[in-house]
Amino acid sequence: MEGKTIFAPVGEASVTRAIVGEFLGEFLDYVESDVIVVGAGPSGLMAAMDMANSGLKVVVIESNNYLGGGFWAGGYLMNKVTFRAPSEEILEELGIPYKEIEPGHFVSDSPHACSRLIAAACDAGAKIINTTRVEDLVVRDDAVRGVVMNWSAVSYMPKAIGCVDPVAMESRVVIDATGHHSSIVGYLEKRGILTMPGEANMWVERSEDGVVEKTGFVYPGLLVAGMAVATVYGLPRMGPTFGGMLLSGRKAAKTAIESLELMKSPKA
Ligand code: 48F
């Protein structure tokens, strides 16, 4: 490149106004959404992508700074992720390169797979709020109608100064995609509304099929997707194979879309 690069004359105050103004404008808009997805792992991102593609107003709340959950690191801190047929269809759809290791068994680079999924969810129009932890649910007339949330940093503050009240966002459906802990369903368990057996020992061949099969509503207004399904129903864990996560997210999205359509129908 020839010559000196001269950037536009934009000062500190303008940068601050751009960040705070844009963030707050969007935050206020998303205080009421169609669906809140809690957890930006593979199942939550997949669900968010499909729902946003179908025109729903979707916000994803993630406690970490980074998105992707367990999809970034693969297994055993080795950044490869595996998929079993028929989930390679989603790899094709998202343009994720993969290699067939044996018939019906595929492997990809996790940073490539994860970044493609994050970009696809954002491109579809899902709004992401990261560094924010969901710490409780809004429940009205025996149905989940939103989440209670706070900056993740608040939970790391010493108790003496960590007394910061949360805020809430409302939605018609909430999806618990928080992974192995299933922390959102856990807020109902804490109040004796339901019980979770916890996930069983690893058994790849059973867990993926079971997780996809059981993905669905666990309580009015509350869907469960991904590894949280195994915890809620006592299914085996599956290790670093991710087709079940992607297809569970897709099923959660389909179930949410259908239930919101039913709510619109006068006969429902
Ligand atoms: O754990 P995670 O990747 O969940 P998943 O979509 O996928 C599981 C796989 O990664 C893997 C596996 C199967 O292949 O065994 O573990 O079911 O992503 C869950 C995300 O939820 C966030 C957490 O930081 C992670 O990014 N999360 C958990 N609790 C909260 C939360 C919370 N209370 N508020 C906001 N985010």
Side-chain angles (χ1 to χ4, degrees), residues 160-181:
I161 56 168
C163 190
V164 179
D165 270 330
V167 293
M169 280 187 162
E170 294 181 25
S171 64
R172 296 189 289 162
V173 171
V174 172
I175 299 182
D176 181 346
T178 59
H180 297 271
H181 300 295

Side-chain angles (χ1 to χ4, degrees), residues 6-64:
I6 310 281
F7 286 96
V10 174
E12 287 77 6
S14 296
V15 171
T16 305
R17 258 186 233 114
I19 290 172
V20 178
E22 286 301 301
F23 181 85
L24 286 184
E26 285 180 0
F27 193 89
L28 287 175
D29 186 22
Y30 280 83
V31 159
E32 286 175 282
S33 300
D34 291 320
V35 185
I36 297 171
V37 178
V38 190
S43 64
L45 288 168
M46 187 74 198
M49 178 189 83
D50 277 2
M51 291 186 296
N53 272 331
S54 81
L56 293 180
K57 186 174 175 185
V58 180
V59 60
V60 181
I61 303 181
E62 167 55 54
S63 58
N64 281 329

Side-chain angles (χ1 to χ4, degrees), residues 248-265:
S248 168
R250 175 147 283 175
K251 186 177 176 194
K254 186 168 180 281
T255 311
I257 293 163
E258 285 167 359
S259 83
L260 290 172
E261 283 297 319
L262 275 179
M263 281 185 202
K264 268 199 260 167
S265 139

Side-chain angles (χ1 to χ4, degrees), residues 60-93:
V60 181
I61 303 181
E62 167 55 54
S63 58
N64 281 329
N65 189 10
Y66 70 93
L67 311 179
F71 207 24
W72 273 118
Y76 200 54
L77 286 182
M78 296 188 179
N79 63 356
K80 298 283 178 194
V81 278
T82 64
F83 304 88
R84 296 189 302 144
S87 56
E88 79 280 11
E89 287 168 12
I90 296 178
L91 306 182
E92 293 281 350
E93 184 185 319

Side-chain angles (χ1 to χ4, degrees), residues 183-200:
S183 56
I184 306 308
V185 178
Y187 298 133
L188 295 183
E189 185 183 46
K190 199 172 87 178
R191 297 193 170 84
I193 293 170
L194 45 78
T195 52
M196 295 191 283
E199 64 185 10

Side-chain angles (χ1 to χ4, degrees), residues 200-219:
N201 299 97
M202 193 184 286
W203 192 342
V204 172
E205 282 165 0
R206 288 222 171 150
S207 59
E208 287 206 290
D209 306 46
V211 162
V212 177
E213 188 193 328
K214 291 282 190 188
T215 295
F217 280 101
V218 278
Y219 189 75

